Amino acid sequence: MAGAENIKPYHDSEAEKKEQVAEMFNNISKRYDLLNHLLSLNIDKGWRRKVVRMIKADSPSVVLDVATGTADLAIALAKGTGADITGADISEGMLSVGREKVAKKGLAKKIVLELGDSENLPYPDNTFDAITVAFGVRNFQNLHNGLKDMARVLKPGGQLVVLEFSQPQYFPFKQIYWFYFKAILPTVGKLVSKDPRAYTYLPESVAAFPYGKAFETELEKAGLKPTKTQPVTFGIASIYQARK
């Protein structure tokens, strides 16, 4: 796991990874949604709908969305499950954008967005019926600590669902994927976000991150029981389900 944890947004900075990640997302927060949907061709919306269906199956009352960012998944969860949603993120810039979206959609009574570190979540043990993370575990400074703390605040029998980039394995999609990630995405990201590192960090972090069986092993080490792993869109991303 050392490889993934050593991948940081800013190579010339001495700051810890989590500090750099917070800085990066603060820098790009105003343009994040535009870039995210542009660069993903909106495919990510379908992935989030799958996550919501998985969570809804348990009829949860209280759900935590870790690394909530601009609250796309938190909003989808509130609409799709009717549960009360808490979103936590280390970037105040992203949370600010998220709060504006939540207010515009009239969901301020269903969604609370709070500054929170995934490795030291400010919630008591056994608080949430379900926990979600969409494209966030890759950015944890210490993956084990983050997964372990999520397990701590999850109720016994509760469900954790993680949506994260993985790596396509088959020709020609594997080759197309990496060309897009390493050539097109950083170029467009640099032009639009004005942060030249934000979208080169993305393919670097994906390449170093454990996926598939390797991530299931990390879940088990944190005290969680993997129940299903579902690659989506030819393996661009994977959805992991686990129980406490």
Side-chain angles (χ1 to χ4, degrees):
M1 283 314 304
E5 290 163 359
N6 286 334
I7 302 298
K8 302 176 183 178
Y10 305 110
H11 295 157
D12 57 351
S13 172
E14 296 297 323
E16 291 187 341
K17 179 173 180 175
K18 69 179 65 177
E19 294 172 359
Q20 292 191 33
V21 167
E23 178 186 352
M24 178 187 74
F25 281 114
N26 285 337
N27 289 344
I28 66 174
S29 59
K30 297 298 182 184
R31 296 176 179 267
Y32 177 81
D33 283 338
L34 169 67
L35 266 171
N36 187 39
H37 298 312
L38 173 68
L39 293 170
S40 70
L41 307 177
N42 279 331
I43 296 172
D44 59 308
K45 292 183 178 179
W47 300 340
R48 288 187 178 88
R49 285 195 291 269
K50 289 180 183 289
V51 172
V52 171
R53 287 196 294 269
M54 292 173 182
I55 296 298
K56 185 179 181 180
D58 280 7
S59 301
S61 297
V62 285
V63 177
L64 173 65
D65 183 40
V66 174
T68 195
T70 61
D72 274 351
L73 183 53
I75 290 167
L77 287 164
K79 289 181 175 179
T81 69
D84 291 327
I85 314 297
T86 299
D89 201 280
I90 60 171
S91 167
E92 187 57 54
M94 297 286 275
L95 289 170
S96 179
V97 174
R99 291 187 188 108
E100 291 178 10
K101 290 162 63 175
V102 167
K104 285 180 180 178
K105 293 180 181 295
L107 292 169
K109 292 183 178 180
K110 297 295 293 181
I111 301 173
V112 176
L113 301 182
E114 303 175 330
L115 202 61
D117 180 353
S118 61
E119 297 170 38
N120 188 23
L121 293 165
Y123 311 110
D125 297 357
N126 309 317
T127 297
F128 298 97
D129 298 316
I131 299 177
T132 58
V133 195
F135 309 112
V137 290
R138 222 176 357 96
N139 298 319
F140 289 1
Q141 180 167 302
N142 186 300
L143 178 61
H144 177 72
N145 289 351
L147 293 176
K148 191 173 181 180
D149 209 46
M150 287 191 289
R152 176 185 65 79
V153 302
L154 184 63
K155 291 179 181 178
Q159 181 179 197
L160 169 69
V161 178
V162 175
L163 168 61
E164 187 54 84
F165 287 114
S166 47
Q167 299 180 33
Q169 296 300 298
Y170 301 105
F171 178 87
F173 212 79
K174 177 179 180 180
Q175 287 70 23
I176 295 170
Y177 172 84
W178 283 115
F179 173 74
Y180 181 77
F181 249 40
K182 292 182 177 180
I184 297 174
L185 187 146
T187 301
V188 176
K190 179 180 179 180
L191 288 172
V192 179
S193 74
K194 309 303 181 185
D195 187 327
R197 275 294 297 159
Y199 289 87
T200 52
Y201 163 75
L202 175 58
E204 290 172 4
S205 62
V206 170
F209 190 76
Y211 64 97
K213 293 293 184 183
F215 186 70
E216 290 179 1
T217 298
E218 295 301 323
L219 290 167
E220 290 171 346
K221 288 179 182 177
L224 295 158
K225 182 180 179 181
T227 55
K228 183 179 181 181
T229 297
Q230 179 182 353
V232 290
T233 316
F234 305 104
I236 289 177
S238 295
I239 301 173
Y240 304 88
Q241 287 178 279
R243 297 268 178 192
K244 182 174 176 178

